[in-house]
């Protein structure tokens, strides 16, 4: 049994007069598996990976996946109490992409040290926009990978990600550094 590795999207770098920039663009809906993700609309508690709160249990593992799981497990009940709910399919997709995003940013910064404090931008359409939104919240919390946080998030046709409490947390996390473009006739 083999599992095919799916790419998460694109990372672009550029040098501007104001300094280096990194642009991360998770891909949107592409195939049946992505459609199933889009349709997994059950609301689940927002994991601490995307919104930091005082941990109940400090993760002891150096593995990113194990640390993420430990933090999510120990704080799931706090998120549930606070009623911060998010689209389950989008959250699971974003969680599955975090190791690739982390590895890509770490490799980039290792190979091109001038990008260690680069401005980071995220963009995406549909599923990619939802994923970019959650990844931007994660990067806002991770000062090792994104010392200056996220400069800007731009999404197009992004489906609804969560409940009212989620959007309040999102706005607090991003501080107005987001732009969501939608068409009135768009069914999503």
């Amino acid at each position: 049994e083999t599992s095919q590795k799916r790419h998460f999207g694109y990372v672009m770098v550029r040098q501007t007069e104001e300094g280096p920039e990194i642009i991360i663009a998770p891909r949107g809906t592409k195939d049946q598996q992505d459609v199933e993700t889009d349709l997994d609309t059950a609301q689940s508690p927002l994991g601490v990976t995307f919104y930091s709160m005082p941990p109940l249990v400090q993760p002891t593992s150096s593995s990113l996946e194990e640390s993420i799981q430990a933090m999510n497990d120990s704080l799931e009940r706090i998120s549930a109490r606070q009623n911060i709910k998010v689209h389950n399919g989008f959250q699971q997709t974003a969680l599955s992409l975090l190791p690739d995003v982390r590895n890509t940013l770490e490799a980039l910064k290792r190979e091109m040290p001038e990008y260690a404090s680069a401005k980071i931008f995220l963009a995406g359409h549909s599923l990619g926009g939802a994923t970019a939104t959650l990844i931007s919240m994660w990067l806002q919390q991770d000062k090792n990978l994104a010392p200056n946080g996220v400069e800007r998030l731009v999404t197009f046709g992004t489906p609804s990600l969560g409940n009212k409490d989620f959007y309040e947390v999102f706005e607090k996390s991003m501080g107005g550094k987001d732009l969501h473009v939608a068409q009135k006739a768009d069914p999503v």
Side-chain angles (χ1 to χ4, degrees):
E1 183 176 315
T2 62
S3 83
Q4 182 179 358
K5 178 97 170 115
R6 298 166 55 88
H7 84 284
F8 74 82
Y10 304 92
V11 175
M12 297 152 273
V13 295
R14 69 181 194 160
Q15 193 62 250
T16 69
E17 289 180 12
E18 293 143 11
E21 296 178 348
I22 300 170
I23 300 113
I24 301 169
R27 68 171 181 75
T29 303
K30 177 176 127 177
D31 56 26
Q32 185 59 36
Q33 185 176 348
D34 293 337
V35 170
E36 290 170 14
T37 296
D38 293 342
L39 296 175
D40 184 4
T41 60
Q43 300 269 305
S44 58
L46 178 65
V48 69
T49 303
F50 303 110
Y51 181 64
S52 67
M53 299 166 74
L56 298 174
V57 176
Q58 290 290 335
T60 58
S61 172
S62 60
S63 159
L64 174 65
E65 292 82 7
E66 290 174 14
S67 293
I68 289 170
Q69 188 61 49
M71 289 188 297
N72 280 335
D73 290 347
S74 68
L75 292 175
E76 187 172 60
R77 62 188 171 171
I78 291 177
S79 290
R81 268 200 323 256
Q82 292 191 342
N83 200 33
I84 302 168
K85 304 286 187 185
V86 67
H87 183 290
N88 187 60
F90 299 151
Q91 179 164 232
Q92 294 308 312
T93 298
L95 284 169
S96 74
L97 299 181
L98 294 184
D100 286 338
V101 172
R102 175 180 289 285
N103 292 341
T104 300
L105 288 175
E106 286 175 346
L108 176 64
K109 291 176 180 192
R110 227 182 2 263
E111 294 169 22
M112 302 170 79
E114 66 272 22
Y115 282 88
S117 62
K119 291 180 180 176
I120 298 178
F121 297 83
L122 284 100
H125 169 259
S126 189
L127 171 62
T131 305
T133 299
L134 291 169
I135 291 172
S136 69
M137 290 177 70
W138 171 62
L139 287 173
Q140 286 292 91
Q141 308 300 318
D142 192 327
K143 296 304 177 193
N144 291 322
L145 276 184
N148 304 314
V150 172
E151 184 72 19
R152 175 70 81 184
L153 164 69
V154 180
T155 65
F156 301 89
T158 301
S160 178
L161 270 116
N163 65 3
K164 179 181 173 241
D165 293 326
F166 165 77
Y167 284 102
E168 288 174 10
V169 166
F170 171 75
E171 289 300 323
K172 181 179 178 186
S173 171
M174 292 304 296
K177 296 179 180 182
D178 58 299
L179 172 65
H180 300 278
V181 180
Q183 182 180 359
K184 281 186 181 184
D186 190 341
V188 242

